[in-house]
Amino acid sequence: MPETEAPALLDNSPGAPAIAPGDNPLLEDWTAAGGVPPFFRIRAEHFLPAYAQALAEHAVEVAAIAAERAPPTFANTIAALEMSGRTLERIDNVFSLLAGADTNDALQKIERAISPQIARHWNQIRANAALFRRIDAVMATAEHSGLDAEQKRVVERYHTRYRRAGAALSEAAKERIAEIIERLAALGTTFSQNVLADEQAFSLRLEGEAELAGLPGFIRESLKSEASERGIDGYAVTLSRSTVEPFLQFSDRRDLREKVFRGFVMRGDNDGPTDNKAIIAEMVRLRAERARLLGYADFAHYRLDDAMAKTPAAARDLLGAVWRPARASALTDRDAMQALIREDGGNFKLEPWDWRYYAEKLRRRVCDFDETAIKPYLSLDRIIEAAFYTAGRLFGLNFTPRPDVAVWHPDVRAWRVTGSDGKEIGLFFGDYFARASKRSGAWMTAIRDQQKLGGDITPLIVNVCNFAKAPAGEATLLSFDDARTLFHEFGHALHGLLSSVTYPIIAGTNVATDFVELPSQLFEHWLEQPELLRRFALHYQAGTPIPEQLLARLVAARNFNKGFATLEYIACAETDLDLHGLPPPNPADSPLDAHAFEAASLARIGMPDEIVMRHRPPHFAHIFAGGGYAAGYYSYMWSEVLDADAFAAFDESGDIFDPATAKRLRDCIYAAGGRQDPAEAYKAFRGRLPTADALLRKRGFAAPAAAVN
Ligand SMILES: [Zn+2]
């Protein structure tokens, strides 16, 4: 099984129903169908027996590699590991696709049963001392073994993964790390369940027109359905972000805005049984201890050592460079809003629960832009066409519908992707509509990754979105944010489709977490180009292009209130690095005081009183509900520096489809996977490392960073 971070397999699965392998479509050979699983025959009960067989198979393969008598070589160790676990990978890809995009009770039950087994399976492989000795030996001789550059990189990736998991440590240290990982997993689960409990405990019932004042129809509709879901008559505000944000933006009732705001920012911080502050203290301490066992000063240094940023200082330099002009811009907006309050006859200081409300008033005045006016020009089919067109102009790709290919739901569409030479590059699946069986959000995943190790294997790539489906016979219309999401996910899809490497460990999106958003965020830039919008933003009924005036307003409104959004975000990224920059405490130290720590972090960066972090630590799921973004929340902005700087290369050429720039982009970024260190890959594309200038221009902070007091 390729060493991806994706969940893999389990040891064995007691209690799995007996299904003869011959009857299990998951265990069949799918080559005849181009590698596409026979979705129409796959049922939930097929997974546990298939997992059991695949897991056992993988364990045997890995044991054989570790016990090999011949001296360790690239072929008998690294390539052998890359070839192992193929059945498991196939099953895992199909399972995670269905568990996210088309789940049901049976699949959810399997998911709960299987994920701890998968974690244990990988822990055992990574802790296998004999296996690591072989990887270590291949690494030690890699320079002089006649390996090519890609093979050397693959050896280095294996060695790094195992070393960072603790493979080189003493048995006692390995045991302690396993304990820590298990405890962190339990704490992470409790953390998110506490946040959920606080969210479920809150609802504010609104009665009468007086309490609904200011709320437009679409918000009233959603407050009504929130209420009925909770068995409440009328309208209710709950604590999901998609309810809270529009309520704060539109409600005329300052007292109600304050109530909702306080409920929202106090999630996980209510001192009762659902309080998360002690959990935060323990998680931060355990992560620091683990980092120290692995030889790092603190968790942030551990985490960033294997990222493009390399050090917390590099991440902070970037955050600081953006913070200064963003803060100046936010303070200007604050003053304009305070003036608006006075103009309205208000005699109070702008508070955090007022910001979105007065920002909306200011936006209407300054930009004269109404989101609903643009929707008729953004039909789903046209935006898909626009994404394909952009991929065609940049990379010579063609997309041909393949209605005959097996899919997991009738709404899913499949396309055959070919290059300019007519050669098949892979298949692309679009699963665009929201439904109850799909989790929220949007993402890219793969049914099969590209690789050349066991023959020339083409990728099968999936985009999943949650757009509201129009009734039969009508065109599905998108908001501009939806259209941007489609382009974003399609950028990830191209990263998977254009991948051209030999080894799966470095294929497609298997790159550093602060680099992986470059291909996706970069692709969004084309959607915003007037050249593209004039061509594809056509009225869904009349077919007429978007009026120039509307287009101009759309572009102008893009950067409104960006100072606020930037500060809200950077404060989280800075606090994340602060929390994970703490050394392991001494036994005599008193436990971390989460409140005092948060206040000190915000004071250090000069957070304005009127703005609260987008995610305060007691509900900061990115870093505490699992470790995904721990000391890594900065990554979003890191990638944005890259995408803004990368798109500037097209701007500078004077052609947004400049062929020479597009070719470099394909060779060095989209096709290259993790073949190179990300900084080297970027330099190969751009001729230099990125600077934050383009990002500051993109966010509308073009003026040089002025001193801020
Ligand atoms: Zn993304």
Side-chain angles (χ1 to χ4, degrees), residues 457-630:
I457 294 179
T458 55
L460 309 176
I461 302 295
V462 182
N463 271 177
V464 185
C465 298
N466 268 288
F467 305 141
K469 189 183 177 181
E474 284 178 39
T476 291
L477 301 179
L478 305 181
S479 68
F480 197 73
D481 271 351
D482 289 341
R484 196 200 312 275
T485 299
L486 189 147
F487 264 64
H488 179 100
E489 297 310 330
F490 191 68
H492 282 310
L494 290 175
H495 202 190
L497 286 164
L498 291 170
S499 175
S500 179
V501 300
T502 301
Y503 298 93
I505 190 181
I506 54 163
T509 53
N510 290 316
V511 298
T513 44
D514 55 3
F515 189 73
V516 75
E517 298 297 328
L518 167 60
S520 52
Q521 293 183 176
L522 174 59
F523 204 72
E524 292 175 33
H525 286 257
W526 277 277
L527 174 67
E528 295 182 350
Q529 300 307 307
E531 183 178 339
L532 205 81
L533 287 169
R534 284 187 194 111
R535 193 180 182 109
F536 292 99
L538 305 178
H539 194 277
Y540 76 107
Q541 284 167 327
T544 47
I546 185 167
E548 285 296 317
Q549 215 188 14
L550 190 56
L551 189 61
R553 277 191 229 138
L554 171 71
V555 173
R558 210 178 48 196
N559 283 329
F560 185 75
N561 205 25
K562 264 284 160 66
F564 169 84
T566 307
L567 259 52
E568 219 198 13
Y569 162 81
I570 293 183
C572 296
E574 289 274 5
T575 305
D576 170 31
L577 288 172
D578 286 349
L579 281 165
H580 291 109
L582 291 169
N586 295 311
D589 292 349
S590 49
L592 175 80
D593 178 339
H595 272 172
F597 193 88
E598 178 184 342
S601 273
L602 296 177
R604 181 180 63 74
I605 54 178
M607 182 76 152
D609 293 340
E610 299 85 357
I611 302 178
V612 170
M613 301 166 78
R614 184 172 175 81
H615 314 280
R616 290 188 51 237
H619 48 255
F620 198 166
H622 291 76
I623 66 172
F624 292 120
Y629 278 87

Side-chain angles (χ1 to χ4, degrees), residues 234 238 433:
T238 62
F433 298 126

